[in-house]
Amino acid sequence: MPSWKTVRDDFPALRQQVNGQPLVYLDNAATTQKPQVVIDALSHFYEHDNANVHRGLHALSMRATDDYEGARARVAKFINAAAPEEIVFTRGTTESINLVASSWADANLKPGDVILLTEMEHHSNLVPWQLAARRTGAVLRYVPVTGDDGRLDLTQLDRLLTREVKLFAFTHISNTLGTINPVAELCARARAVGAVSVVDAAQSSGHMPIDVRAMGCDFLAFSGHKMAGVTGIGVLYGRRHLLDTMPPWQGGGGMIAHVDFFESRWKPSPERFEAGTPNFADAYALGVACDYLDGLGREEIQRHDAGLAQLAYEKLSALPKIRLLGPPDGERGGLVSFALHDVHAHDVVTLADQDGIALRGGHHCNQPLMKKLGLTGTARASFYLYNTAAEVDALVASLQRIQKFFS
Ligand SMILES: Cc1ncc(COP(=O)(O)O)c(C=O)c1O
């Protein structure tokens, strides 16, 4: 069991005051802070190994290539993929999903086919499918959310998940509700009707164990910056047989086997999907972030984050004039979304900032869900491995001050 108190010392950004108060960073669902080992790894790469990868025959290029391909193998192990070739490096979750929506969807969907989504999807797992539907003539369907308790209404699946559904995309953990969805069950249900499954793991990859083979998903997307890694690097996992039959979505250097003036042939996956100079330095640092998280233990991280979210949920429930979203029990990840009656979410965030507390406020890239719930936005506290129970207390005290201010 890690010593959470010393874990906090690993994160230099937390050693600062904001508005004269110790920083309480509760905006981890947007991006997490970075441990010193990850920051050092990036500096080390640039100080020692930096050169372009794959094509070089000199020492630095070979070292950089080893670092990059080593990171691919490390990420494959992190999510228990069958082979490193199933890992495509991207800019982040958004780009990973757009890759599938461009390459797989354009090649496989026809008018009348159905793309099934859920009402709790982040815009990144919604807009790419709207664009794909527009291009291919496919139509969208949504699994409803039950209400403020934030669960998927799985009683509707028999009606919605018909043979016309060719792709089912859903989030592992909702960034607004905190709900942890039963992904293995959803992947199995998709497979039973011959649909491919796409899991948005942006909010889960750094917070809990991920095993793509146990999950049974066809594609899974996540971002390095939400899991103690640096910005600008993300991952698309895809089953090998699917990736190998998909056309490239971007053309350029690195992804070709042969080029002629009028046609070209592609390399297999993953190079086929990594046109141009890849983000090798940030990929290397992502591998180090994977080591860091596994050193602490992802089950322990999940217990820690969910424990703080549960504590926050209970303490916030005791406040007057508050509306809490998401499931109240063990189906919740490490975040809590709430709306104070008569106080705009942006005011909550601005005033909490005066107490040194970093929250997020607004629609959280979930506009349709907000509309369905009759909200313009919520404030969100999202926890990570360096947060403490004392910070939950600081949040509650700050909200009490804000309520008093507006009363
Ligand atoms: C559930 C979910 N999906 C996708 C994204 C998009 O991630 P990125 O902006 O890193 O591509 C986010 C970001 O907040 C998210 O929370």
Side-chain angles (χ1 to χ4, degrees):
M1 171 110 156
S3 160
W4 298 114
K5 205 165 155 25
T6 57
V7 163
R8 196 176 167 85
D9 297 337
D10 295 341
F11 293 81
L14 299 176
R15 285 177 227 135
Q16 61 178 299
Q17 298 217 325
V18 168
N19 293 322
Q21 305 290 332
L23 170 63
V24 175
Y25 187 79
L26 301 180
D27 195 17
N28 295 289
T31 200
T32 65
Q33 298 302 339
K34 322 301 172 198
Q36 192 66 54
V37 280
V38 169
I39 298 168
D40 289 349
L42 196 59
S43 301
H44 178 91
F45 181 88
Y46 283 123
E47 284 166 17
H48 298 278
D49 294 353
N50 181 51
N52 211 332
V53 292
H54 290 152
R55 292 170 289 273
L57 294 174
H58 57 83
L60 260 62
S61 175
M62 287 189 268
R63 237 188 278 149
T65 303
D66 286 348
D67 288 343
Y68 184 52
E69 293 306 326
R72 196 188 305 280
R74 181 67 189 86
V75 169
K77 191 166 157 234
F78 189 74
I79 60 171
N80 197 28
E85 289 75 13
E86 295 186 322
I87 303 301
V88 179
F89 283 119
T90 63
R91 281 194 303 126
T93 310
T94 304
E95 188 169 274
S96 299
I97 293 170
N98 274 279
L99 194 166
V100 183
S102 290
S103 172
W104 187 90
D106 283 10
N108 288 283
L109 296 183
K110 56 179 189 328
D113 285 344
V114 174
I115 299 168
L116 183 61
L117 306 172
T118 85
E119 286 180 347
M120 63 169 77
E121 297 315 311
H122 187 282
H123 296 166
S124 293
N125 199 25
L126 197 162
V127 181
W129 304 116
Q130 290 180 344
L131 294 172
R134 204 180 283 176
R135 288 193 302 269
T136 61
V139 292
L140 302 177
R141 271 184 205 160
Y142 288 89
V143 180
V145 167
T146 44
D148 280 11
D149 69 338
R151 293 185 174 95
L152 290 179
D153 185 355
L154 298 180
T155 63
Q156 302 296 315
L157 263 195
D158 283 343
R159 180 178 64 80
L160 295 167
L161 195 48
T162 56
R163 287 266 157 205
E164 293 77 47
V165 176
K166 300 294 181 243
L167 181 141
F168 185 14
F170 45 85
T171 194
H172 192 175
I173 298 184
S174 161
N175 64 304
T176 297
L177 303 162
T179 318
I180 303 177
N181 286 319
V183 282
E185 183 190 338
L186 299 180
C187 292
R189 294 288 299 267
R191 178 144 313 155
V193 296
V196 303
S197 51
V198 180
V199 178
D200 175 349
Q203 293 299 337
S204 58
S205 61
H207 292 262
M208 62 194 291
I210 303 281
D211 180 337
V212 286
R213 282 187 273 178
M215 205 184 268
C217 59
D218 292 308
F219 297 102
L220 179 125
F222 57 97
S223 304
H225 72 96
K226 292 185 194 285
M227 49 174 282
V230 297
T231 44
I233 188 76
V235 173
L236 173 69
Y237 157 81
R239 279 181 199 263
R240 186 97 189 251
H241 74 275
L242 286 171
L243 289 176
D244 280 343
T245 56
M246 284 159 54
W249 77 307
Q250 291 178 339
M255 48 76 75
I256 44 83
H258 178 80
V259 178
D260 231 320
F261 277 124
F262 295 102
E263 45 187 77
S264 304
R265 281 183 283 110
W266 330 124
K267 281 188 178 155
S269 172
E271 286 92 344
R272 178 182 303 179
F273 302 106
E274 294 181 358
T277 297
N279 189 355
F280 43 80
D282 293 345
Y284 172 67
L286 178 60
V288 175
C290 292
D291 287 343
Y292 180 79
L293 296 179
D294 277 343
L296 296 175
R298 276 181 282 161
E299 280 172 10
E300 279 81 2
I301 294 172
Q302 183 178 10
R303 255 196 300 279
H304 174 267
D305 298 352
L308 287 179
Q310 187 59 25
L311 183 67
Y313 188 91
E314 282 161 19
K315 293 199 170 199
L316 295 183
S317 304
L319 294 180
K321 298 185 174 176
I322 190 166
R323 180 172 166 192
L324 287 148
L325 298 186
D329 48 31
E331 294 163 60
R332 175 188 289 276
L335 66 91
V336 181
S337 226
F338 56 92
L340 297 185
H341 297 188
D342 307 323
V343 189
H344 195 280
H346 289 166
D347 292 331
V348 174
V349 175
T350 306
L351 290 170
D353 184 55
Q354 289 176 6
D355 292 331
I357 301 175
L359 299 173
R360 183 134 305 233
H363 55 63
H364 312 295
C365 291
N366 271 147
Q367 278 183 7
L369 178 66
M370 287 291 150
K371 191 168 165 203
K372 168 169 172 145
L373 298 177
L375 287 160
T376 52
T378 64
R380 180 184 71 190
S382 51
F383 302 93
Y384 206 26
L385 36 85
Y386 33 70
N387 292 124
T388 64
E391 290 181 317
V392 173
D393 290 338
L395 169 67
V396 174
S398 179
L399 294 179
Q400 282 170 328
R401 265 193 296 278
I402 292 168
Q403 286 190 317
K404 208 164 157 204
F405 179 80
F406 277 94
S407 67

